[in-house]
Amino acid sequence: DAKTTQPNSMESNEEEPVHLPCNHSTISGTDYIHWYRQLPSQGPEYVIHGLTSNVNNRMASLAIAEDRKSSTLILHRATLRDAAVYYCILRVGPSGYSTLTFGKGTMLLVSP
Amino acid sequence: EAQVTQNPRYLITVTGKKLTVTCSQNMNHEYMSWYRQDPGLGLRQIYYSMNVEVTDKGDVPEGYKVSRKEKRNFPLILESPSPNQTSLYFCASSLSSRAQAFFGQGTRLTVV
């Protein structure tokens, strides 16, 4: 499986935008980029995913580099509730079995 | 409300006493899986099930059993728990192995 590299931790202030980077230089053409987050004392939750084009949903935006070797999860206005560990995961698609393998992720700290 | 429900949320047991952690989902998902989360090791998959009566080992299956007799339920069985199985356990379900996964709230197990 192609691997991802994320910073161990990042800090932000409340109501400021946050850009969480992820490097995946060995990504293959059919790998989707998924983001999950895990709030303290909770199970992981899906945030967003994409293949080539930038994606937006109610939680966040995903910006994917043109060569797909990196991506950035964007939280437009961080809140205290966004403090969590964010995982960038590559998943094969569209056919065949694809396990969800978690790395160490990025711990996001949000200050008031 | 779409959800994955695990029970119990907390459990303290003694070495060798068989236990079952239940997992139930109400989204008619075909794919279900179990993870354990340990400090420094992250989330690791224990077992998964592609559908009823179809189960397979994940990355750390030793000491665990599962069954999938009905689509909605995927219990995790520890026949003879040992202290090294003290961990935080998460159940997850999704439409397929590649789809967005929904996680339960977790079960914190302590084996003494």
Side-chain angles (χ1 to χ4, degrees):
Chain A
D1 289 338
K3 293 197 181 300
T4 64
T5 304
Q6 300 178 253
N8 289 333
S9 64
M10 292 185 66
E11 294 186 25
S12 174
N13 293 318
E14 206 175 5
E15 299 191 6
E16 288 185 357
V18 180
H19 289 65
L20 296 164
C22 180
N23 287 321
H24 27 79
S25 58
T26 60
I27 191 171
S28 73
T30 56
D31 286 345
Y32 283 76
I33 303 157
H34 284 241
W35 284 82
Y36 281 75
R37 72 178 185 180
Q38 186 173 19
L39 280 65
S41 303
Q42 294 192 28
E45 67 172 338
Y46 167 84
V47 178
I48 200 167
H49 78 277
L51 182 62
T52 56
S53 304
N54 294 343
V55 184
N56 300 296
N57 66 21
R58 63 174 180 80
M59 289 180 70
S61 295
L62 176 60
I64 301 172
E66 198 168 331
D67 63 5
R68 299 207 331 123
K69 293 184 185 301
S70 66
S71 60
T72 303
L73 179 70
I74 303 165
L75 307 179
H76 295 285
R77 288 183 68 214
T79 69
L80 296 177
R81 288 165 47 193
D82 290 322
V85 178
Y86 287 78
Y87 299 97
C88 172
I89 302 168
L90 299 183
R91 307 197 70 184
V92 298
S95 61
Y97 171 72
S98 174
T99 189
L100 192 59
T101 302
F102 290 85
K104 295 195 185 316
T106 297
M107 178 175 287
L108 175 65
L109 306 169
V110 181
S111 302
Chain B
E1 179 190 355
Q3 59 186 3
V4 177
T5 304
Q6 295 179 226
N7 280 296
R9 293 289 310 280
Y10 302 91
L11 179 60
I12 301 174
T13 190
V14 296
T15 299
K17 185 176 180 182
K18 181 180 178 179
L19 67 91
T20 299
V21 183
T22 64
C23 174
S24 180
Q25 50 95 3
N26 62 0
M27 295 168 278
N28 202 35
H29 285 167
E30 291 191 348
Y31 184 84
M32 299 184 74
S33 59
W34 276 102
Y35 290 80
R36 61 177 288 175
Q37 185 169 31
D38 303 288
L41 296 175
L43 283 145
R44 295 176 293 168
Q45 191 181 60
I46 304 171
Y47 266 95
Y48 65 91
S49 170
M50 302 283 277
N51 212 327
V52 175
E53 302 292 2
V54 181
T55 64
D56 208 347
K57 297 176 181 178
D59 298 319
V60 288
E62 293 78 19
Y64 304 95
K65 281 177 58 177
V66 292
S67 70
R68 188 89 181 274
K69 294 184 169 56
E70 310 165 275
K71 201 171 191 179
R72 64 182 293 125
N73 296 322
F74 189 45
L76 180 69
I77 304 157
L78 284 72
E79 296 265 0
S80 182
S82 63
N84 65 12
Q85 292 178 298
T86 292
S87 187
L88 180 57
Y89 292 86
F90 290 102
C91 178
S93 77
S94 54
L95 276 172
S96 72
S97 68
R98 299 179 307 280
Q100 170 188 345
F102 293 80
F103 285 79
Q105 288 291 88
T107 295
R108 187 167 292 282
L109 172 66
T110 302
V111 183
V112 298

